[in-house]
Amino acid sequence: MALLADGASALFIDGKLTEGNAGTFPTVNPATEEVLGVAADADAEDMNRAIDAARRAFDDTDWSRNTELRVRCVRQLRDALQQHIEELRDLTIAEVGAPRMLTSIAQLEGPVNDLAFAADTAESYSWQQDLGEAAPMGIPTRRTVVREAVGVVGAITPWNFPHQINLAKLGPALAAGNTVVLKPAPDTPWCAAVLGEIIAEHTDIPPGVVNIVTSSDHSVGALLAKDPRVDMVSFTGSTTTGRSVMSDAAATIKKVFLELGGKSAFLVLDDADLGGAVGVAAFSVCMHAGQGCAITTRLVVPRARYDEAVAIAAATMSGIKPGDPNDSGTICGPLISARQRDRVQGYLDLAVSEGGSFACGGGRPADRDVGFFIEPTVIAGLDNTARPAREEIFGPVLTVIAHDGDDDAVRIANDSAYGLSGTVFGADPDRAAKVASRLRVGTVNVNGGVWYSADMPFGGYKQSGNGREMGLAGFEEYLETKAIATAAN
């Protein structure tokens, strides 16, 4: 099967590939600005059909109770994706602008392989817990706690790591027994739409269990939070949109999972290898052009070595040139769109107006007239009160901030509306661990540790969201708890 062979994708509703009522909309290669093709454009009626299909599949079939079927289907999906991995790789590079090197990890192969964790978890999960007999209020009673699927899940996903986020929602939601309506970002519709093709041709997933609704209209996705037939919304995206999702969902008191923005801090303690630590921070902020919510974009360094740290960061980042994501050596590809490039440039202009300066970068690369590229940029001379130091930029931009010791470094790191991730580098592991324990964040990297893994929970504190994705905690987000009390005669 050739994925999207005719340069167009369809909606996937109730087990069928269909056209969208609103026609089609283009999907664009962010590195070349060329139109790749078109995606089916759904309207409110299409979304209504998808929700209705998911509701019927949950209520009228045994999907939620047939663990064996669910495990088999999730494994079929993983196997089919692996069989088409090279086609998916080319698609991901073209539509997302993801550097080829990242498709072997978190942009593609990693999340595909991680579907095994969801299937294995469902297969071995203790769906019932026997609490034994007791006599509350003098009545002999046998007590059982049962975990069961939430119901219909509306999954709303962004464009920056589409496969990772789409599959991190679909895998556990399906394995846990839910039915799903997936609404992907309009910037990357094909990365979601291909799942419909693969599910239809290569899995036993029953009609209505998975529905994929692509649309250029963001209000179509908002219907998932408002509709009473949807039991849960799982949203990844900006904090601003997350607030709207939470507000819309409040009318029906549905369960809400939110993985939102970040402005994470990379703390370098005064005993750390400055060159090594700053080099890691500078390199990481360039990967995928900084388009990651958990990337540490505030580099917090000892004041006495501030200028040295800025120079090291600038030397590292000026050596990383924005390039063709198809090239195996490219680290920093394009931003997703002209709109996003202009947004990042707006923050760079703001940094200058607030008194900052660029140690490197600061705008579009001189040798890139085509494509949505921004140079890797180091901002110096700002403190943690400046807007570029407080607001999520989502580009290859690192702001260097001075600290006056461990307590001050922790204060700066926690002085944020967000709490998604953080990093601590220090020569004394006990001291570094102590600093890490004081950070109000959901994930912490100490001296280069990697927290991204299928069995590790991911999520944030404060306005970075609520709940966790991935790991056992992520699987259990898609479950309800039922207490059953049976009279013991």
Side-chain angles (χ1 to χ4, degrees):
M1 179 183 75
L3 301 180
L4 305 174
D6 59 354
S9 67
L11 308 181
F12 184 59
I13 298 176
D14 206 10
K16 298 177 182 177
L17 298 169
T18 69
E19 297 179 351
N21 285 336
T24 63
F25 65 99
T27 185
V28 175
N29 184 323
T32 66
E33 303 184 42
E34 295 174 345
V35 173
L36 296 168
V38 297
D41 202 0
D43 66 3
E45 178 53 33
D46 291 317
M47 179 59 80
N48 177 64
R49 291 191 297 117
I51 295 172
D52 186 62
R55 185 77 262 167
R56 285 186 284 104
F58 185 81
D59 292 341
D60 299 340
T61 76
D62 71 343
W63 173 259
S64 67
R65 299 178 298 279
N66 192 336
T67 303
E68 182 181 356
L69 171 63
R70 300 197 309 271
V71 169
R72 182 173 79 246
C73 287
V74 172
R75 287 177 177 156
Q76 287 173 337
L77 177 58
R78 176 204 60 194
D79 293 347
L81 290 168
Q82 288 175 338
Q83 290 166 12
H84 292 285
I85 204 72
E86 294 308 321
E87 292 171 89
L88 290 166
R89 193 186 317 281
D90 291 340
L91 168 61
T92 306
I93 294 167
E95 186 176 53
V96 186
R100 178 172 290 275
M101 64 178 291
L102 291 182
T103 63
S104 65
I105 44 178
Q107 277 287 9
L108 179 59
E109 292 186 38
V112 168
N113 295 336
D114 289 347
L115 286 170
F117 178 82
D120 293 348
T121 299
E123 189 172 49
S124 62
Y125 193 71
S126 297
W127 296 96
Q128 294 190 8
Q129 180 184 7
D130 184 359
L131 295 186
E133 291 190 10
M137 293 181 282
I139 301 173
T141 303
R142 183 178 304 110
R143 293 92 42 76
T144 305
V145 175
V146 177
R147 304 303 302 276
E148 57 188 28
V150 171
V152 175
V153 173
I156 306 172
T157 58
W159 43 260
N160 58 325
F161 282 80
H163 297 302
Q164 195 281 316
I165 300 169
N166 290 342
L167 297 178
K169 296 185 189 302
L170 275 178
L174 296 176
N178 301 278
T179 60
V180 180
V181 179
L182 172 63
K183 167 59 175 70
D187 296 287
T188 53
W190 280 4
C191 285
V194 294
L195 294 173
E197 291 189 26
I198 288 173
I199 288 170
E201 296 194 20
H202 296 284
T203 78
D204 297 324
I205 294 175
V209 168
V210 177
N211 305 272
I212 301 170
V213 181
T214 58
S215 177
S216 62
D217 184 353
H218 288 282
S219 68
V220 170
L223 296 174
L224 290 167
K226 297 174 181 178
D227 198 299
R229 294 170 294 175
V230 177
D231 300 293
M232 174 181 175
V233 174
S234 180
F235 171 79
T236 299
S238 73
T239 295
T240 298
T241 305
R243 291 190 189 99
S244 297
V245 170
M246 181 175 278
S247 176
D248 289 340
T252 53
I253 319 294
K254 58 171 53 75
K255 189 172 184 180
V256 177
F257 165 79
L258 300 173
E259 197 279 285
L260 307 176
K263 192 67 179 179
S264 303
F266 189 119
L267 307 187
V268 182
L269 307 185
D270 61 17
D271 67 341
D273 170 9
L274 187 72
V278 172
V280 170
F283 180 87
S284 65
V285 85
C286 295
M287 294 188 70
H288 193 30
Q291 297 173 114
C293 55
I295 292 175
T296 45
T297 55
R298 289 183 294 156
L299 176 60
V300 185
V301 300
R303 188 176 302 276
R305 304 188 70 182
Y306 182 84
D307 291 344
E308 185 182 355
V310 168
I312 295 169
T316 301
M317 292 177 67
S318 62
I320 299 174
K321 303 299 183 183
D324 182 350
N326 254 311
D327 293 343
S328 60
T330 294
I331 296 164
C332 182
L335 298 177
I336 190 65
S337 64
R339 180 185 66 255
Q340 180 63 17
R341 181 191 61 203
D342 292 345
R343 181 179 182 274
V344 173
Q345 187 63 59
Y347 274 105
L348 297 180
D349 297 342
L350 180 62
V352 174
S353 68
E354 291 198 2
S357 61
F358 303 133
C360 69
R364 297 187 64 174
D367 62 343
R368 292 277 169 185
D369 294 331
V370 175
F372 309 129
F373 294 93
I374 286 282
E375 298 172 294
T377 300
V378 175
I379 300 174
L382 298 180
D383 63 21
N384 203 52
T385 64
R387 281 183 59 195
R390 303 193 68 80
E391 299 177 14
E392 188 173 43
I393 297 174
F394 232 58
V397 181
L398 184 66
T399 303
V400 188
I401 301 169
H403 74 73
D404 296 306
D406 292 4
D407 290 345
D408 192 44
V410 171
R411 177 193 65 79
I412 292 169
N414 289 337
D415 179 20
S416 173
Y418 302 108
L420 190 52
S421 73
T423 295
V424 179
F425 266 62
D428 181 342
D430 292 336
R431 177 184 173 191
K434 182 177 179 181
V435 169
S437 72
R438 297 168 64 190
L439 300 182
R440 297 282 297 163
V441 297
T443 59
V444 186
N445 159 358
V446 180
N447 288 332
V450 177
W451 44 257
Y452 173 74
S453 177
D455 60 349
M456 283 282 281
F458 175 74
Y461 292 12
K462 299 187 282 186
Q463 292 184 37
S464 286
N466 54 42
R468 291 295 179 270
E469 199 150 68
M470 303 177 67
L472 181 61
F475 180 82
E476 292 183 333
E477 288 287 345
Y478 296 97
L479 298 177
E480 291 279 20
T481 302
K482 178 182 286 183
I484 301 174
T486 304
N489 296 321

